Amino acid sequence: GQISSWLCHSCRYSSDWSLIQHISVLVRSGITIAFYLGVLSIAVRTVMKEPAIGLHQPIILDGQAPEVSQSSNRALDDPAIAEYTQGIQQDPKDSVAFNRRGVAYYQRGEYEKSVADFSRVIEFEGPSPRNLSNSGSGRVKLDMFDAALDDYTHAIALRDDDANLYMARGQAYADKGLKAEAVADFTRAIERDATMTVAYGWRGIALVELEQYRQGLEDLERYVPTQPTDTMALAAQGFALFKVG
């Protein structure tokens, strides 16, 4: 996008200025070196396919999530998955066990298995917002954006007042490169929950990609103080400042 192009331009900016001089100009323009270094993270995140802000974590409702704490990632352990699998073998229609195992697989990065389990939950319980959102989260990780968007759209049709669902669909749109659609969904999320600062962050980055720099800055200025180490947001903010002068 525009920000990545700026990074490439900066790397070649040596005919008239040295790199140090270029950074100095940016600093004098109000853009810190942290912003400049943040731009570098965009290239890394793009190669690694790492989301810029937040994660597409499954939304687990109704107390069916496996109990995972900071000190004990039980859902990540093979014994936990074995336990859920044993429960499924005893009752092949145990949707709770399928859901918990799907979350465990998701957290382990085994997204194909997680999507398969979430699909079974939908088969047994029906397409609830939670079940559809979980399925969409796994499909995003597999770059199955159209299928994920279908899941989120169906979930939103069932629960239009849920800011998290709009946030999730907006992230899927952004990952697919549909920035305008992403902005619209982040806006809908904010309309339903004005305290969702992460939505301002994602919307700000998308607006910068759409070359709406001043509007993007407004969002990023609201988000960055809450997440001062988010290099992607810092990079977008720095690039927008650079463009507006």
Side-chain angles (χ1 to χ4, degrees), residues 61-222:
L61 307 176
D62 306 324
Q64 295 190 26
E67 296 181 0
V68 183
S69 66
Q70 294 294 330
S71 60
S72 177
N73 289 329
R74 183 172 180 272
L76 303 178
D77 297 338
D78 287 333
I81 290 180
E83 178 183 332
Y84 304 142
T85 301
Q86 183 178 11
I88 291 168
Q89 290 171 344
Q90 293 173 353
D91 181 0
K93 293 187 177 181
D94 187 345
S95 61
V96 173
F98 272 111
N99 186 63
R100 291 183 174 181
R101 192 176 69 174
V103 173
Y105 279 137
Y106 181 96
Q107 293 174 323
R108 287 169 61 95
E110 298 183 52
Y111 303 119
E112 290 184 0
K113 292 181 179 179
S114 75
V115 168
D117 276 357
F118 293 142
S119 295
R120 298 304 300 274
V121 177
I122 292 174
E123 177 185 343
F124 300 138
E125 295 186 355
S128 70
R130 180 206 69 183
N131 297 338
L132 290 163
S133 179
N134 284 348
S135 175
S137 296
R139 285 171 166 168
V140 165
K141 290 293 190 179
L142 294 170
D143 292 344
M144 299 170 61
F145 299 119
D146 290 334
L149 289 168
D150 286 343
D151 283 338
Y152 290 133
T153 299
H154 192 174
I156 288 169
L158 296 173
R159 184 176 293 166
D160 179 70
D161 62 345
D162 193 327
N164 289 305
L165 293 176
Y166 280 106
M167 183 69 208
R169 192 175 68 175
Q171 289 174 312
Y173 275 131
D175 286 347
K176 190 179 178 181
L178 300 175
K179 305 300 181 182
E181 291 83 350
V183 167
D185 267 359
F186 297 143
T187 299
R188 294 184 183 104
I190 291 168
E191 289 171 350
R192 286 156 179 77
D193 183 0
T195 67
M196 185 178 282
T197 55
V198 68
Y200 288 98
W202 275 86
R203 189 174 70 174
I205 290 175
L207 285 167
V208 170
E209 288 289 338
L210 290 170
E211 301 183 10
Q212 298 179 33
Y213 303 117
R214 294 190 184 280
Q215 298 94 316
L217 275 175
E218 291 180 6
D219 280 349
L220 291 166
E221 286 171 357
R222 182 163 186 163

Side-chain angles (χ1 to χ4, degrees), residues 32-70:
T32 67
I33 294 177
F35 294 154
Y36 192 85
L37 294 177
V39 176
L40 182 60
S41 74
I42 297 173
V44 176
R45 289 172 188 251
T46 300
V47 172
M48 299 301 292
K49 294 185 179 180
E50 179 182 345
I53 304 174
L55 297 173
H56 296 277
Q57 294 287 9
I59 301 172
I60 310 299
L61 307 176
D62 306 324
Q64 295 190 26
E67 296 181 0
V68 183
S69 66
Q70 294 294 330

